[in-house]
């Protein structure tokens, strides 16, 4: 009885921060604030005979000993998780065999005895010469490791408050980061000098919303590297990088956007309202899709397999909303740790 | 009297419509045999007529079934051609759909580019016109030039006045020196006359 009530209370208070599709495109992994990672099978959830049980995780394991997992990313063989502990890598083949073990792990360099910075965002940069992992988090810096030998190659310092989100630019040569200090900085990933450009959306009258704060929570680059989109306390806005000026804003009254991405000539974003916003690049709202979670932390589109092309949304509930036609929610997967 | 299912099935298959044809043929045969056996009288004429009508009835059913068979064949042909036509149309339609899809992608891309251009144009518009700024720069340059000229002229004037004052002051000093000398000379002469008077 107590077990049951404990479990239902855990489900009620669960927040799923991040998700990631497997390299084959058939599975989706999601990680929550209890440090658990659940794997769902998209094939069985989308099949015509799907029922309640096919929308539960096929496997669930603890990815972080104590603490939450804030970000997941995947390479061809590894699932990499990071949050309040170390950055850990798990093999997808081990996960499919239900026996995952940490293949390697990286930890942020400690600056003091009592500091334990969390990692908020990780990105993998795959090049011919080497594969690198970039991580940004609570210690205000962005660390770059070489994944083949585990060496810390570079640290980009300059932010005055923790880093919310990072993304890559110019085929991995440059890195863009959004931070709580209100700046979006563009760095040269090879050198450890200061940021090449600093954008401050909260200072422009077009985007700034002083009542929401100056923090920038999400940043994304478009495919041609000409446009950057960022949002958070200031309004979600696109910036033209040649002239470093904001060009269009996306109106989300009363809601700060936590996640944004470019998808096929449109922009998809989610934030503190229970809906996923689809926009045209000039700021016009194309559609709003209601979701179960009241705040959205991550949106992902499965581009690996065409027949499993879904849009999945996670937020501060135990449900993962899956949309096959991006205009409405088809069904929800439920993160129930077994 | 052992009418089993197989026989019933066979009978139903053979007979076209109703169960009459088989019975009619049997009846015809029986009538014919009876007629050949019976003597020639008015009854036999009637039976003869009846035989003829039965024969024509059988012929009629035969013709009908042959015509029905031909009709079925033609219907089948018709459906085959229709099927083929529909298949062709489906192929065409799928081709068109793929074309339209790629056109749609292209149009979406164009729209996105147009929106980006519009956004850039808006930003550019906020900055002032290039011609206006060049004109402003030109007028400022001219003003600067005139001021420089004035400054130069004033400096030259100042210089010449200074020189003139210098000349004036040196003349005054020289005059002062001459006057001092003269005074001294006059004093010395006075002293001399005083000495001469007292001695």
């Amino acid at each position: 009885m107590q077990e049951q009530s404990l479990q239902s209370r855990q489900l009620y208070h669960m927040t799923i921060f991040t998700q990631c599709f497997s390299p084959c495109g058939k599975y989706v992994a999601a990680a929550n604030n209890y440090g658990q990672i659940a794997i769902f099978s998209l094939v069985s959830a989308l099949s015509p005979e799907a029922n309640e049980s096919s929308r539960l995780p096929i496997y669930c394991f603890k990815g972080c000993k104590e603490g939450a997992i804030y970000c997941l990313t995947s390479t061809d063989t590894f699932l990499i998780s990071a949050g309040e502990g170390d950055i850990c890598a798990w093999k997808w083949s081990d996960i499919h065999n239900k026996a995952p073990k940490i293949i390697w792990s990286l930890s942020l360099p400690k600056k003091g005895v009592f500091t334990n910075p969390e990692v908020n965002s990780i990105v993998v940069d795959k090049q011919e010469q080497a594969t690198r992992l970039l991580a940004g988090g609570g210690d205000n810096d962005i660390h770059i490791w070489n994944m083949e030998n585990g060496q810390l190659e570079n640290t980009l310092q300059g932010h005055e408050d923790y880093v919310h989100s990072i993304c890559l630019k110019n085929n991995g040569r440059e890195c863009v980061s959004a931070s709580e200090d209100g700046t979006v900085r563009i760095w040269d990933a090879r050198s450890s000098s200061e940021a090449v450009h600093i954008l401050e959306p909260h200072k422009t009258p077009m985007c700034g919303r002083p009542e929401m704060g100056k923090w920038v929570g999400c940043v994304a680059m478009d495919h041609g590297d000409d446009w950057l989109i960022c949002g958070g306390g200031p309004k979600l806005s696109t910036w033209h990088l040649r002239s470093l000026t904001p060009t269009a804003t996306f109106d989300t009254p009363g809601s700060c956007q936590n996640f944004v991405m470019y998808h096929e000539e449109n922009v998809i974003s989610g934030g503190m309202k229970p809906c996923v916003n689809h926009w045209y690049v000039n700021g016009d709202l194309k559609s709003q899709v209601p979701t179960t979670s009241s705040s959205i932390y991550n949106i992902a589109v499965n581009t690996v397999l065409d027949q499993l092309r879904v849009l999945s949304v996670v937020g501060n509930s135990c449900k993962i909303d899956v949309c096959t036609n991006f205009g409405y929610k088809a069904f929800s997967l439920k993160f129930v740790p077994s | 009297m052992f009418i089993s299912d197989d026989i019933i099935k066979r009978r139903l298959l053979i007979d076209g419509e109703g169960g009459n044809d088989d019975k009619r043929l049997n009846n015809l045969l029986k009538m014919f045999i009876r007629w050949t056996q019976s003597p020639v009288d008015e009854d036999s004429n009637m039976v003869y007529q009846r035989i003829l009508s039965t024969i024509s009835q059988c012929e009629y059913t035969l013709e009908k079934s042959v015509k029905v068979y031909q009709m079925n064949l033609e219907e089948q042909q018709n459906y085959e051609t229709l099927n083929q036509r529909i298949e062709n149309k489906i192929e065409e339609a799928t081709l068109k759909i793929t074309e339209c899809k790629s056109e749609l992608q292209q149009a979406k891309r164009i729209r996105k580019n147009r929106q980006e251009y519009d956004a850039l144009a808006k930003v550019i518009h906020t900055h002032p016109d290039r011609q206006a700024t060049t004109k402003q720069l030109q007028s400022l340059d001219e003003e600067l030039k005139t001021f420089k000229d004035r400054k130069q002229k004033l400096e030259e004037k100042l210089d010449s006045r200074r020189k003139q004052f210098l000349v004036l002051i040196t003349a005054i000093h020289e005059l002062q020196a001459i006057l001092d000398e003269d005074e001294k000379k006059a004093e010395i002469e006075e002293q001399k006359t005083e000495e001469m008077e007292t001695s």
Side-chain angles (χ1 to χ4, degrees):
Chain A
M1 234 330 256
Q2 244 184 359
E3 270 282 331
Q4 219 183 18
S5 84
L6 177 67
Q7 212 201 26
S8 48
R9 263 180 290 150
Q10 267 194 336
L11 275 184
Y12 181 69
H13 289 287
M14 188 185 294
T15 304
I16 307 179
F17 285 110
T18 176
Q19 57 182 338
C20 178
F21 288 102
S22 65
C24 57
K26 297 192 193 144
Y27 300 92
V28 57
N32 66 5
N33 55 336
Y34 302 126
Q36 297 161 327
I37 301 178
I39 313 287
F40 297 84
S41 162
L42 276 179
V43 176
S44 57
L46 284 171
S47 73
E49 309 92 33
N51 53 8
E52 273 305 308
S53 61
S54 46
R55 306 226 167 105
L56 294 176
I58 56 173
Y59 183 56
C60 189
F61 63 98
K62 198 124 164 75
C64 177
K65 283 191 283 280
E66 23 179 89
I69 295 180
Y70 295 128
C71 42
L72 281 178
T73 186
S74 172
T75 63
D76 287 334
T77 44
F78 291 116
L79 173 69
I80 306 175
S81 70
E84 282 173 2
D86 291 340
I87 301 175
C88 306
W90 319 79
K91 258 202 174 156
W92 274 106
S93 47
D94 287 346
I95 294 173
H96 290 322
N97 295 335
K98 311 224 170 145
K101 19 183 230 300
I102 301 178
I103 306 290
W104 48 261
S105 72
L106 300 166
S107 53
L108 293 180
K110 288 234 192 291
K111 286 189 186 157
V113 183
F114 294 110
T115 60
N116 189 13
E118 80 282 9
V119 175
N120 284 326
S121 175
I122 49 176
V123 172
V124 171
D125 170 28
K126 194 168 167 74
Q127 304 284 332
E128 289 170 357
Q129 313 92 311
T131 312
R132 303 187 305 163
L133 178 74
L134 293 92
D139 60 354
N140 310 352
D141 298 335
I142 298 161
H143 301 276
I144 305 180
W145 285 270
N146 182 334
M147 270 176 42
E148 326 228 309
N149 56 17
Q151 296 285 352
L152 179 64
E153 270 187 359
N154 201 356
T155 302
L156 304 173
Q157 295 181 312
H159 274 300
E160 286 150 20
D161 211 336
Y162 62 89
V163 175
H164 274 279
S165 162
I166 52 181
C167 71
L168 291 172
K169 182 177 179 280
N170 198 359
N171 199 16
R173 292 192 204 109
E174 292 171 85
C175 158
V176 184
S177 61
S179 154
E180 178 77 9
D181 65 1
T183 60
V184 173
R185 289 182 198 228
I186 304 177
W187 315 80
D188 179 355
R190 311 280 158 145
S191 73
S192 51
S193 48
E194 288 198 348
V196 177
H197 297 296
I198 301 180
L199 303 174
E200 289 179 298
H202 67 102
K203 287 200 178 150
T204 59
M206 194 169 151
C207 320
R209 287 192 291 194
E211 71 273 14
M212 299 285 187
K214 59 181 187 173
W215 57 279
V216 185
C218 55
V219 69
M221 289 292 311
D222 102 308
H223 311 293
D225 274 354
D226 284 323
W227 302 84
L228 177 148
I229 183 167
C230 60
K235 287 190 206 171
L236 187 65
S237 49
T238 48
W239 291 66
H240 185 231
L241 283 175
R242 288 266 183 86
S243 53
L244 296 181
T245 51
T247 49
T249 55
F250 301 78
D251 216 9
T252 49
S255 160
C256 300
Q257 300 298 291
N258 288 325
F259 184 83
V260 70
M261 62 190 271
Y262 274 99
H263 177 73
E264 275 186 11
E265 298 102 19
N266 292 330
V267 173
I268 306 180
S269 77
M272 297 182 175
K273 288 246 166 84
C275 58
V276 172
N277 303 314
H278 294 259
W279 315 85
Y280 296 113
V281 288
N282 65 351
D284 294 335
L285 183 64
K286 181 173 162 203
S287 63
Q288 263 186 345
V289 180
T291 59
T292 13
S293 324
S294 56
S295 278
I296 295 176
Y297 292 120
N298 196 299
I299 305 171
V301 178
N302 188 7
T303 44
V304 181
L305 278 185
D306 235 357
Q307 55 268 46
L308 293 178
R309 186 171 160 273
V310 296
L311 178 139
S312 105
V313 188
V314 296
N316 64 347
S317 73
C318 60
K319 300 255 177 84
I320 302 171
D321 295 332
V322 177
C323 311
T324 39
N325 169 333
F326 294 5
Y328 58 86
K329 176 189 95 164
F331 57 87
S332 298
L333 301 169
K334 201 164 170 191
F335 192 138
V336 180
S338 41
Chain B
M1 289 284 119
F2 296 106
I3 305 174
S4 64
D5 290 324
D6 289 329
I7 300 176
I8 293 178
K9 264 191 222 160
R10 203 158 22 103
R11 279 259 178 92
L12 285 169
L13 276 173
I14 294 172
D15 284 337
E17 358 176 327
N20 295 339
D21 293 338
D22 208 28
K23 273 189 232 150
R24 211 180 287 148
L25 284 170
N26 285 340
N27 229 2
L28 174 67
L29 207 60
K30 280 190 211 142
M31 264 199 284
F32 182 67
I33 291 174
R34 225 183 296 139
W35 183 70
T36 47
Q37 303 282 14
S38 66
V40 185
D41 56 0
E42 16 170 285
D43 241 0
S44 68
N45 221 4
M46 258 197 352
V47 180
Y48 173 67
Q49 295 294 336
R50 222 185 292 157
I51 290 176
L52 282 180
S53 76
T54 332
I55 290 177
S56 53
Q57 271 177 359
C58 291
E59 277 180 356
Y60 167 75
T61 352
L62 179 82
E63 281 281 329
K64 208 158 65 152
S65 49
V66 164
K67 283 248 154 54
V68 165
Y69 170 70
Q70 279 179 350
M71 177 193 81
N72 283 337
L73 281 181
E74 268 185 45
E75 274 292 303
Q76 205 176 25
Q77 272 287 65
N78 199 12
Y79 281 135
E80 288 265 351
T81 44
L82 213 69
N83 194 17
Q84 194 58 19
R85 210 187 305 161
I86 290 176
E87 267 185 29
N88 292 345
K89 283 229 172 108
I90 288 176
E91 266 183 44
E92 273 177 43
T94 37
L95 274 175
K96 255 198 191 165
I97 286 175
T98 40
E99 261 183 50
C100 284
K101 271 199 187 150
S102 56
E103 265 187 52
L104 181 72
Q105 289 286 59
Q106 182 79 326
K108 274 194 189 163
R109 234 174 292 148
I110 289 178
R111 176 179 63 187
K112 175 175 136 164
N113 286 338
R114 279 220 191 105
Q115 284 171 344
E116 285 177 5
Y117 300 155
D118 278 339
L120 279 177
K122 247 191 266 176
V123 174
I124 291 173
H125 251 84
T126 54
H127 293 274
D129 203 5
R130 203 195 301 181
Q131 282 184 347
T133 26
T134 38
K135 267 198 212 144
Q136 258 190 348
L137 280 172
Q138 269 180 357
S139 62
L140 282 172
D141 269 337
E142 280 177 22
E143 268 190 58
L144 199 73
K145 236 176 84 178
T146 42
F147 282 137
K148 265 200 193 140
D149 283 340
R150 265 176 66 183
K151 181 173 161 197
Q152 218 186 8
K153 283 205 188 105
L154 285 172
E155 274 184 3
E156 280 175 16
K157 232 190 197 178
L158 187 70
D159 238 3
S160 70
R161 291 282 181 278
R162 213 182 268 148
K163 285 195 194 125
Q164 286 165 355
F165 264 116
L166 198 67
V167 167
L168 183 65
I169 289 183
T170 36
I172 290 177
H173 276 162
E174 273 183 25
L175 183 62
Q176 186 80 10
I178 291 175
L179 285 174
D180 282 341
E181 259 192 58
D182 277 349
E183 250 191 58
K184 263 198 209 149
K185 272 195 200 152
E187 267 189 30
I188 291 174
E189 277 197 21
E190 255 191 48
Q191 269 189 358
K192 268 195 194 156
T193 46
E194 266 189 34
E195 271 180 25
M196 275 191 14
E197 274 184 12
T198 50
S199 65

